[in-house]
Amino acid sequence: MLKVIRRKSILKEAVDEFRKSNLSIGLVPTMGALHKGHISLIEMSNMHYDVTIATIFVNPTQFNNTEDLAKYPRNEETDIALLSKTGCRVVFIPSVDEIYANPPLITLNFGYLEHIMEGKHRSGHFNGVGLVVAKLLGIARPDGAYFGQKDLQQFRIISRLVSDLDIPVQLHLAPIVREENGLAMSSRNERLTAEQRQLAGNLYKSLSLSSDLLFSGVPQQEVKLAVYDFFKALDGVDLEYFEIVDFETLENIPSLNEGDQLALCLAAYVAGVRLIDNLVIEL
Ligand code: AMP
């Protein structure tokens, strides 16, 4: 039976009970408007841990754009109905006041990681992500937590948060679940028409194209130009960035070698909706 909990104090009591019964806990933080990508995280957590706690919280401190926050899809009822079919034991759905009753004085700075890609284009975003994930880990005290590769930079940020602060939790990175046309599943896709979703399939197409070019030995700068040209020729999609980076550090690699693990990362706007995606390859 899925239990819906809205208060920190009640969640802490539920966690105490699980701990007393020696049950291991997996945490799946989300912002709701759940789709198959989220559900895959819940299923992985169910396999590894005795109980899964999902959280649904549209975290205002990680939005650098008020319109994006206002337009973020919210489907609480359908989310709860979906989760109740997954075997998830608890869903924590706090209000903004419940989480930020005492507005944090602390600011998190992730060094070079917040001056590249998402950090560069969304000022303050990772401070908000770091704060809320630290809070959720503190409240739910899970043994493990699941995050999607779609937000690869977020995963690297959270990994540093956990290792820099010695937070005792095992982090798991889950593969990207995609639509048939390659479009990475995202709550933001709900804001697109069927036609725009088709168009958004080009994000994955451009990643596949860049992967093919890199495998055939085309130099990075030329691959980047090819991706920028691909989007220039495409009406209705505006590329914000495309980067070829090291999968672990997310830094640019000056010269590539066989065996290098790369992440090809991009952000683009389709009909005013900002989407991100990436593809991980090994040369
Ligand atoms: P969100 O609700 O968008 O903040 O996402 C919650 C978690 O689900 C994050 O760890 C995301 O990386 C992950 N996630 C989002 N989309 C996908 C997807 N298409 N496939 C796998 N995981 C995803």
Side-chain angles (χ1 to χ4, degrees):
M1 247 311 256
L2 176 72
K3 205 166 164 180
V4 180
I5 295 180
R6 296 177 191 277
R7 308 302 296 256
K8 286 198 269 194
S9 56
I10 308 287
L11 182 63
K12 284 180 175 167
E13 282 171 22
V15 169
D16 284 342
E17 284 304 313
F18 293 144
R19 293 256 163 250
K20 261 190 232 154
S21 314
N22 261 328
L23 297 172
S24 62
I25 300 172
L27 183 75
V28 180
T30 82
M31 297 205 296
L34 301 180
H35 50 68
K36 286 184 189 149
H38 296 118
I39 302 303
S40 75
L41 268 54
I42 306 268
E43 285 168 351
M44 279 178 242
S45 171
N46 285 343
M47 301 236 296
H48 278 85
Y49 298 99
D50 297 321
V51 295
T52 296
I53 300 177
T55 70
I56 296 178
F57 180 60
V58 183
N59 175 34
T61 64
Q62 72 187 67
F63 283 81
N64 55 323
N65 177 327
T66 42
E67 195 189 334
D68 190 26
L69 173 62
K71 289 191 173 166
Y72 199 85
R74 294 159 207 251
N75 306 335
E76 193 181 297
E77 257 178 59
T78 11
D79 286 351
I80 293 173
L82 250 179
L83 283 175
S84 61
K85 289 188 226 145
T86 61
C88 175
R89 282 283 283 280
V90 171
V91 58
F92 179 49
I93 315 181
S95 66
V96 172
D97 284 348
E98 182 69 10
I99 291 292
Y100 292 115
N102 289 318
L105 284 180
I106 195 172
T107 309
L108 298 171
N109 180 330
F110 292 92
Y112 82 94
L113 269 180
E114 63 173 60
H115 300 301
I116 55 174
M117 300 194 291
E118 290 302 284
K120 190 165 150 188
H121 292 92
R122 300 186 70 187
S123 162
H125 170 64
F126 287 126
N127 172 53
V129 168
L131 279 174
V132 80
V133 172
K135 279 170 166 291
L136 293 173
L137 293 175
I139 300 165
R141 286 169 287 143
D143 299 279
Y146 286 80
F147 297 92
Q149 184 202 302
K150 185 167 86 71
D151 301 276
L152 180 61
Q153 193 172 359
Q154 166 175 283
F155 184 76
R156 297 293 176 226
I157 289 273
I158 293 165
S159 302
R160 288 308 298 253
L161 175 82
V162 161
S163 67
D164 289 1
L165 298 179
D166 286 314
I167 299 175
V169 64
Q170 175 79 45
L171 298 180
H172 303 268
L173 183 62
I176 303 176
V177 178
R178 299 181 178 280
E179 305 275 1
E180 238 171 72
N181 69 349
L183 173 62
M185 294 210 175
S186 164
S187 307
R188 287 189 171 86
N189 295 350
E190 285 191 18
R191 293 178 52 200
L192 302 177
T193 62
E195 204 177 311
Q196 289 162 347
R197 282 186 191 212
Q198 275 313 315
L199 190 60
N202 282 296
L203 271 61
Y204 181 66
K205 212 167 154 193
S206 76
L207 293 175
S208 306
L209 165 79
S210 57
S211 155
D212 290 346
L213 293 174
L214 285 164
F215 277 119
S216 38
V218 175
Q220 291 183 74
Q221 276 317 315
E222 283 180 38
V223 175
K224 279 193 172 185
L225 285 178
V227 169
Y228 276 86
D229 285 347
F230 174 91
F231 283 105
K232 248 186 243 155
L234 199 67
D235 267 350
V237 188
D238 291 314
L239 181 66
E240 187 173 62
Y241 69 79
F242 167 74
E243 294 286 346
I244 301 167
V245 295
D246 180 89
F247 173 57
E248 295 291 339
T249 66
L250 304 188
E251 288 176 300
N252 291 123
I253 307 177
S255 67
L256 298 179
N257 290 300
E258 205 181 312
D260 282 347
Q261 276 203 309
L262 305 178
L264 317 176
C265 304
L266 59 72
Y269 285 87
V270 178
V273 179
R274 187 173 186 279
L275 302 173
I276 58 172
D277 198 356
N278 66 74
L279 187 65
V280 173
I281 59 171
E282 184 174 327
L283 288 182

